[in-house]
Amino acid sequence: MDSSRFTNRPNEVWEWLETHLPKETTAFLRTAYSLAQKYHEGKTRFCSPDIDPPPYVVHPLRVARILAEEWNQKDANLLATAILHDAFDDTLITERSETETELRGVMGSEVFEAVHLLTKPYLPSTQMTDVRFERDARYFK
C-alpha cells in the first residue's frame, strides 16, 4: 500500500492528486486547494495528545484522494467540492458571507451549492452541548 496516502503533509497528498488526475482537472483543483489552504490556515486536526496535530487541510485533500483513487472519480467539480467541503465550518458568521461570495465567484455555483449542502447549520459557540448534538444528529442523518 502507498504510504503517502497516510501522510500528514498536505503538499504530499496534493502531489499525488496532481500526478494522478488529468491536467485539465488539476488546474481547477489547484485553485480549490489554494482556497482550502486559506480557509483552514492555522487550523489543525484533532488527534492524540502525544503527536503533533496535522494541518487541517490534509483532511479535505485526503477525502479528494479517496474519491479519485478508490472510487475512480475524476470530475473536477466533485473533487473540488471534496477539497472545500469544510470551507464554512468554524468560520465566524460575520466572515461567512465573504467566504461564500468568494467561493461562489472563484469555483462556480455547482461547487458552492455542493459545499453549502455539506455544511452543518451554523450555531453560535455559546450553544449547549445537547443542542449541538441534536444539530449534528440531524445533519449526519
Side-chain angles (χ1 to χ4, degrees):
M1 182 171 285
D2 180 4
S3 64
S4 72
R5 154 184 252 189
F6 302 107
T7 182
N8 284 331
R9 295 181 186 97
N11 287 337
E12 289 179 13
V13 183
W14 169 250
E15 185 178 296
W16 186 94
L17 288 166
E18 194 170 42
T19 58
H20 288 83
L21 294 171
K23 294 297 177 211
E24 62 274 8
T25 301
T26 57
F28 185 66
L29 296 181
R30 189 175 296 110
T31 301
Y33 178 35
S34 177
L35 287 174
Q37 287 176 305
K38 175 182 173 181
Y39 299 150
H40 300 302
E41 184 177 1
K43 297 176 185 172
T44 57
R45 292 282 289 169
F46 176 80
C47 64
S48 172
D50 56 326
I51 62 170
D52 288 333
Y56 190 88
V57 75
V58 79
H59 161 68
L61 287 171
R62 285 180 182 162
V63 172
R65 181 171 175 173
I66 289 167
L67 289 171
E69 184 177 21
E70 296 181 21
W71 294 21
N72 200 32
Q73 297 296 313
K74 306 294 187 228
D75 179 77
N77 284 333
L78 175 76
L79 296 172
T81 298
I83 292 170
L84 291 162
H85 79 270
D86 283 339
F88 304 139
D89 288 354
D90 301 323
T91 301
L92 297 174
I93 198 67
T94 55
E95 298 168 359
R96 184 157 168 182
S97 177
E98 182 179 311
T99 302
E100 288 177 342
T101 300
E102 178 180 43
L103 196 141
R104 184 191 296 269
V106 174
M107 301 306 298
S109 292
E110 185 176 333
V111 171
F112 169 80
E113 294 297 333
V115 170
H116 195 272
L117 182 66
L118 293 170
T119 301
K120 293 177 189 173
Y122 176 77
L123 282 179
S125 61
T126 57
Q127 290 294 318
M128 296 180 301
T129 303
D130 58 333
V131 173
R132 287 185 173 281
F133 177 80
E134 288 297 322
R135 186 262 332 250
D136 290 353
R138 283 193 307 274
Y139 169 78
F140 287 116
K141 184 177 180 184

